[in-house]
């Protein structure tokens, strides 16, 4: 039995990836980089915004020095307008509570972003004191530090990670943790290749955890 569930935030707890990536598409088009939603998500999901900036510049975007602040502001505005939970998350958390299995969130995103998305969905109270952010720790996925720090803080011997990005899966595997990969937008083949167990509906998780 696992003694800790480590959730990614965007795309796992909250259905924010498409919203955020559409904002990036519209923004980057102003700087000469035109991407489809599929291209944008393939390139950038699971990365840090600094990494997004550098990759976009490599692809030809003429981004200003203050671009990361600019894009964060635009994304936050869009997320405040309404960010739904991933379907099945409330029920899954209730089942984890009933089984007395602790859980936390570990994200490359800023704490302010998680407060916006989790706060409007009633999850902030559940995660505000068990939140691990790359911006606070100074190390983001695919580095395993986020997950290792979370497990150490909980004293977990058998943690499991729930992710949706290549960087996240890579970080979990590097941390020698079991990784369940939520594939909402494709078949999850790339995540499976990296070593994750792919699933397509949150209702599958209790069975995968042996609950």
């Amino acid at each position: 039995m696992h003694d800790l569930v480590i959730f990614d935030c965007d795309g796992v707890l909250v259905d924010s990836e498409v919203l955020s990536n559409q904002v990036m598409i519209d923004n980057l088009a102003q700087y000469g980089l035109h991407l489809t939603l599929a291209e944008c998500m393939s390139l950038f999901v699971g990365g840090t915004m600094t990494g997004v900036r550098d990759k976009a510049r490599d692809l030809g975007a003429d981004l200003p020095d203050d671009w990361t602040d600019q894009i964060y502001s635009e994304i936050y505005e869009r997320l405040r307008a309404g960010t739904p939970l991933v379907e099945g998350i409330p029920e899954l958390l209730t089942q984890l509570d009933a089984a007395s299995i602790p859980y936390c969130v570990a994200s490359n995103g800023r704490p302010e972003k998680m407060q916006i998305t989790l706060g409007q969905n009633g999850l902030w109270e559940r995660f505000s004191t068990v939140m691990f952010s790359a911006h606070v720790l100074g190390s983001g996925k695919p580095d395993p530090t986020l997950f290792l720090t979370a497990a150490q803080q909980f004293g977990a011997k058998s943690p499991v990670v729930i992710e949706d990005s290549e960087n996240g899966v890579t970080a979990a595997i590097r941390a020698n943790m079991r990784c369940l990969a939520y594939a909402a937008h494709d078949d999850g083949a790339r995540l499976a290749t990296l070593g994750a167990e792919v699933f397509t509906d949150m209702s599958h998780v209790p069975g995968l955890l042996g609950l």
Side-chain angles (χ1 to χ4, degrees):
M1 178 70 76
H2 294 287
D3 54 2
L4 175 66
V5 178
I6 305 174
F7 288 95
D8 178 45
C9 187
D10 294 296
V12 173
L13 291 174
V14 290
D15 197 6
S16 54
E17 294 289 19
V18 171
L19 300 178
S20 297
N21 277 268
Q22 191 59 58
V23 171
M24 284 199 285
I25 289 167
D26 296 341
N27 177 285
L28 291 172
Q30 301 173 48
Y31 298 107
L33 180 60
H34 299 276
L35 300 169
T36 65
L37 180 61
E39 288 169 340
C40 190
M41 294 188 70
S42 177
L43 285 166
F44 301 136
V45 164
T48 62
M49 203 57 76
T50 302
V52 171
R53 179 199 65 197
D54 295 345
K55 191 177 287 188
R57 282 177 170 166
D58 289 343
L59 291 169
D62 184 20
L63 302 182
D65 291 338
D66 67 345
W67 182 80
T68 53
D69 290 334
Q70 178 190 124
I71 195 65
Y72 269 124
S73 177
E74 292 180 13
I75 288 174
Y76 290 176
E77 182 179 4
R78 176 62 188 86
L79 295 178
R80 283 192 190 96
T83 310
L85 287 175
V86 168
E87 188 173 351
I89 281 295
E91 294 82 2
L92 174 56
L93 296 179
T94 297
Q95 287 179 277
L96 292 175
D97 287 337
S100 298
I101 298 175
Y103 47 82
C104 64
V105 61
S107 172
N108 275 352
R110 292 179 175 180
E112 307 95 282
K113 183 181 181 185
M114 288 188 272
Q115 186 167 11
I116 291 169
T117 57
L118 299 176
Q120 63 187 266
N121 288 296
L123 294 190
W124 180 250
E125 293 75 15
R126 273 175 142 146
F127 286 101
S128 61
T129 59
V130 288
M131 178 176 296
F132 300 88
S133 165
H135 287 265
V136 176
L137 290 176
S139 180
K141 310 165 195 175
D143 187 285
T145 299
L146 268 177
F147 295 148
L148 293 171
T149 301
Q152 182 179 27
Q153 186 155 317
F154 278 86
K157 304 299 184 187
S158 181
V160 59
V161 174
I162 301 182
E163 266 290 349
D164 71 325
S165 73
E166 292 181 50
N167 278 344
V169 171
T170 300
I173 299 303
R174 287 177 177 173
N176 292 314
M177 296 179 185
R178 182 186 184 195
C179 186
L180 307 181
Y182 178 52
H185 304 288
D186 58 27
D187 62 3
R190 292 185 305 171
L191 304 180
T193 299
L194 292 170
E197 300 167 52
V198 173
F199 69 98
T200 57
D201 193 298
M202 285 296 165
S203 65
H204 300 162
V205 174
L208 292 168
L209 296 181
L211 299 182

